Amino acid sequence: MFVPCGRPGGSAGPGLEGCTLLLPAVSVGNVGQLAIDLVISTLDMTKVGYFYTDCLVPMVGNNPYATAEENSTELSINAEVYSLPSKKLVVLQIRSPFIKNKYRPFCETLLSWVKGSRCARVVVLSSSHAYQRDDEQLLGTPLRYLLTPDLEKAVGGLMQELNWKEMEKVAAYPGISDTDKVLHIPGGGITKLLFTESCLKGIQMAVLLKFCSEGDNIPDAFVLANYLNEWLQLVKSEVNSSSQWKIPSSWRLLFGNGLPPALF
């Protein structure tokens, strides 16, 4: 359930109608979440509320996008909503993993919110295990996309112009039969469930994903953010594509650096 900042209760906040909702899948390497961090930090998006759910592991921390000591002690929780009305963009950032067997309830709640708030479309940033690609997926770019039928009608032609590769279906029974093909996103978390449910519910959804491995996934995040920017044009593209994004202050702690003094 969406809870606007400063106002308890309620299922939708102002300004969401007709917007693009951007969110990460909690997937391999946390690439989607890192890419979302870049978007929120670069666009200086305003926090407008929280997504209250019992499907995520509870967590609390200081402001991940702090720009000064004054705002560094603001608290953040596991699922927060940010907005940029000028670009009709709403972002749901998810910061903790899912509780076992809670994928489906979360998807149902999220898609119900999407319907109720009348968001124009949903874009999910995700990732998938590079080592589980089949032969066809090993060719070319490690980036892929998926579109629900309702969004395919609107932007399918643009994806063709961008020369993007659609996520391939793979054999359901590899080595036995190659005729039955299924959508397989290993390491993708809720990606497949969100996508298939959106297809059934007539929701306009796109999935943008990158094949990757666990490790230092900051480079993967920049690649995925640039991939998103090719389509939505959120920031002005530069020759050095990494310099167009503002790295959030919280990334200083990604690899075990000391805790910020403001926490104590």
Side-chain angles (χ1 to χ4, degrees), residues 62 249-264:
N62 65 322
S249 56
S250 57
W251 282 23
R252 296 196 305 267
L253 305 174
L254 284 179
F255 298 104
N257 294 8
L259 295 173
L263 281 179
F264 301 97

Side-chain angles (χ1 to χ4, degrees), residues 3 33-34 36 39 48 50 55 59-60 67 69 85 109 157 159 179 195 200 207 232 246:
V3 181
Q33 293 156 294
L34 292 170
I36 292 288
V39 171
V48 294
Y50 312 87
C55 300
M59 62 78 62
V60 65
T67 54
E69 188 175 347
T109 303
M159 302 310 185
T179 56
F195 180 74
L200 294 173
V207 174
L232 296 187
K246 178 183 175 183

Side-chain angles (χ1 to χ4, degrees), residues 17-143:
E17 184 174 354
C19 290
T20 295
L21 173 64
L22 181 64
L23 71 144
V26 182
S27 52
V28 56
N30 302 315
V31 177
Q33 293 156 294
L34 292 170
I36 292 288
D37 268 352
L38 290 173
V39 171
I40 294 173
S41 180
T42 303
L43 298 180
D44 194 21
M45 298 184 72
T46 302
K47 181 161 63 177
V48 294
Y50 312 87
F51 199 76
Y52 180 76
T53 174
D54 63 354
C55 300
L56 296 168
V57 174
M59 62 78 62
V60 65
N62 65 322
N63 182 5
Y65 313 115
T67 54
E69 188 175 347
E70 290 74 23
N71 64 3
S72 65
T73 55
E74 294 175 5
L75 294 182
S76 295
I77 61 171
N78 54 8
E80 296 184 321
V81 180
Y82 297 79
S83 177
L84 187 62
S86 63
K87 291 186 178 292
K88 296 190 74 67
L89 181 68
V90 178
V91 172
L92 168 61
Q93 176 62 303
I94 302 172
R95 299 193 177 96
S96 68
F98 287 89
I99 294 172
K100 187 177 181 180
N101 299 325
K102 289 287 189 175
Y103 276 14
R104 188 167 292 277
F106 179 83
C107 288
E108 291 173 354
T109 303
L110 175 65
L111 295 180
S112 175
W113 177 52
V114 168
K115 284 275 194 180
S117 62
R118 298 181 181 178
C119 287
R121 59 189 175 188
V122 183
V123 181
V124 179
L125 300 186
S126 184
S127 51
S128 184
H129 284 300
Y131 74 90
Q132 289 194 248
R133 288 174 290 177
D134 69 1
D135 290 346
E136 187 178 2
Q137 292 171 338
L138 286 168
L139 301 174
T141 175
L143 295 162

Side-chain angles (χ1 to χ4, degrees), residues 156-174:
L158 176 59
M159 302 310 185
Q160 301 278 333
E161 292 176 17
L162 292 172
N163 201 29
W164 281 13
K165 290 191 71 172
E166 188 173 4
M167 183 67 170
E168 301 90 346
K169 291 186 176 181
V170 300
Y173 309 102

